[in-house]
């Protein structure tokens, strides 16, 4: 699913916004949900954007860093 994520992952307080390839957000979101990330409260997918509510600001920042590592492989 990291191949479907574009170059934008932004954290704002306890939330993340991830930009995906057009039409892939729901598939990526389903994949993230199946991974049961402990810091995530819930996810919501549009066509090319994923919105994630994290438990804490720190969870959001740490998750942002992890996603950026995946993107830059």
């Amino acid at each position: 699913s990291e191949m479907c994520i574009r170059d934008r992952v932004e954290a704002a307080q306890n939330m993340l916004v991830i930009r995906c390839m057009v039409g892939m957000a729901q598939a990526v979101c389903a994949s993230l949900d199946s991974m049961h990330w402990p810091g995530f409260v819930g996810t919501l997918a549009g066509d090319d954007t994923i919105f994630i509510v994290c438990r804490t600001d720190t969870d959001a920042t740490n998750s942002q860093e992890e996603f950026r590592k995946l993107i830059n492989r």
Side-chain angles (χ1 to χ4, degrees):
S1 64
E2 68 267 8
M3 297 300 293
C4 298
I5 297 173
R6 290 185 10 203
D7 58 351
R8 250 182 96 202
V9 179
E10 299 293 330
Q13 295 182 337
N14 70 318
M15 298 171 282
L16 285 174
V17 175
I18 301 172
R19 296 299 303 249
C20 298
M21 302 299 286
V22 174
M24 295 305 299
Q26 291 181 14
V28 173
C29 201
S31 176
L32 292 173
D33 287 343
S34 72
M35 295 170 71
H36 305 287
W37 287 57
F40 291 1
V41 175
T43 61
L44 180 67
D47 187 47
D48 66 349
T49 306
I50 297 171
F51 176 76
I52 301 171
V53 177
C54 297
R55 296 193 187 286
T56 67
D57 296 359
T58 302
D59 287 334
T61 302
N62 291 342
S63 297
Q64 178 186 32
E65 291 172 12
E66 289 301 315
F67 281 114
R68 286 184 173 168
K69 286 179 191 174
L70 286 172
I71 292 169
N72 293 321
R73 278 192 202 184

